Amino acid sequence: MTEGGGDARATAAAVDDIPEAASTVAEPVDETPATTKAERDVWLPRWLVAHPLYAGWAWTVVWAGLIVLDEVVDLAGWTWYLLVLVAALPTLISTLVVLHATPRSHLRAVDATVLGHFFVRFLALVAAFMVWAASVVMSASISTTVQSVIGDSEKEVTALGFNLMLAAVPLVLSILWMAFIVRCAWFLRRLRGWRQVPVKTRVPKKFLKGRPRLKRVVVGLAHPGLLLVAGLGTSLLALFVDAVELTLNVLG
């Protein structure tokens, strides 16, 4: 009895030790993915993680200076389009990533009033009417000018009309680009506010989950003010500098 009971207890103790040994061996395997996730964003500079908005402002100022330099040096006419795009690239990419990861349900205007809703629609209708009226006036003016310059040659009138349309494409693209920037900035204001590192946002919690350093940089660069200055501001700067140069050439 005693020997049998001792053997049974020894066997039970040996069996009880097996899970403990197995769990001890399995612990390093569970820690490996967490360590890998923690080391993913080590390459991000500490100053960029601490002040992403300041880094965005510095980037924008540098490329805005290059836009002015481009007009002074008088490089190819299309280069300022590339400079404007590069100036807005960090904040634009961050904005697109944040907006793409955010469902529209997160931006429901539950606190908006009926008056505010209709007032915004009223302003949109007024702007659309002004654009339509300007297009009608411009088309009539262009048609009259073409008829007076070319004459009654239908072939030449058509050719000149197509050339004018092609020449207007960059202007139309610039206007659409600026409207796109304003629309994105409007949604960013509602989504994350104006703080460099917002305390509370409507960005989904699963966005870049497990990568807090990268999330801090992306949300910091997706700032409505930075997007307006880098996208809209540099576009207006390039158009203004180009208009000043054209005016000086005409006066000269």
Side-chain angles (χ1 to χ4, degrees), residues 62-96:
V62 169
W63 287 98
L66 291 177
I67 291 174
V68 177
L69 181 63
D70 172 52
E71 296 298 335
V72 174
V73 178
D74 195 17
L75 298 177
W78 56 268
T79 51
W80 73 268
Y81 292 100
L82 179 62
L83 294 176
V84 168
L85 178 61
V86 174
L89 200 58
T91 181
L92 181 62
I93 292 177
S94 300
T95 298
L96 295 179

Side-chain angles (χ1 to χ4, degrees), residues 3-225:
E3 292 180 357
D7 293 341
R9 286 192 296 270
T11 304
V15 173
D16 293 338
D17 289 343
I18 293 176
E20 295 178 1
S23 62
T24 304
V25 174
E27 284 179 0
V29 179
D30 294 335
E31 291 178 359
T32 303
T35 305
T36 304
K37 289 180 180 180
E39 292 178 353
R40 282 181 182 177
D41 303 327
V42 175
W43 59 273
L44 289 172
R46 184 176 300 178
W47 58 268
L48 178 60
V49 177
H51 306 288
L53 184 58
Y54 295 158
W57 285 123
W59 176 277
T60 302
V61 169
V62 169
W63 287 98
L66 291 177
I67 291 174
V68 177
L69 181 63
D70 172 52
E71 296 298 335
V72 174
V73 178
D74 195 17
L75 298 177
W78 56 268
T79 51
W80 73 268
Y81 292 100
L82 179 62
L83 294 176
V84 168
L85 178 61
V86 174
L89 200 58
T91 181
L92 181 62
I93 292 177
S94 300
T95 298
L96 295 179
V97 170
V98 171
L99 294 182
H100 176 72
T102 306
R104 188 172 179 84
S105 59
H106 285 228
L107 291 176
R108 289 177 179 174
V110 294
D111 55 346
T113 62
V114 177
L115 177 61
H117 173 79
F118 283 107
F119 185 70
V120 171
R121 297 299 184 273
F122 171 75
L123 292 180
L125 290 175
V126 171
F129 174 76
M130 293 178 64
V131 172
W132 173 79
S135 64
V136 170
V137 173
M138 290 180 61
S139 61
S141 177
I142 291 174
S143 176
T144 303
T145 304
V146 169
Q147 289 290 340
S148 62
V149 172
I150 301 300
D152 296 331
S153 176
E154 182 178 352
K155 185 177 181 180
E156 293 182 1
V157 169
T158 304
L160 182 58
F162 276 111
N163 290 333
L164 291 176
M165 288 180 60
L166 292 177
V169 168
L171 178 61
V172 173
L173 291 178
S174 300
I175 294 175
L176 293 177
W177 160 263
M178 290 187 284
F180 173 74
I181 292 297
V182 171
R183 188 62 172 169
C184 288
W186 171 264
F187 279 105
L188 282 179
R189 181 195 65 84
R190 297 173 55 191
L191 187 64
R192 46 95 67 216
W194 296 94
R195 294 174 61 94
Q196 177 175 207
V197 181
V199 178
K200 185 178 180 181
T201 68
R202 298 185 182 181
V203 179
K205 294 182 179 180
K206 64 180 181 179
F207 175 67
L208 295 177
K209 188 177 181 179
R211 307 186 68 176
R213 290 168 61 88
L214 181 60
K215 182 176 181 179
R216 180 186 175 96
V217 172
V218 172
V219 176
L221 288 175
H223 188 275

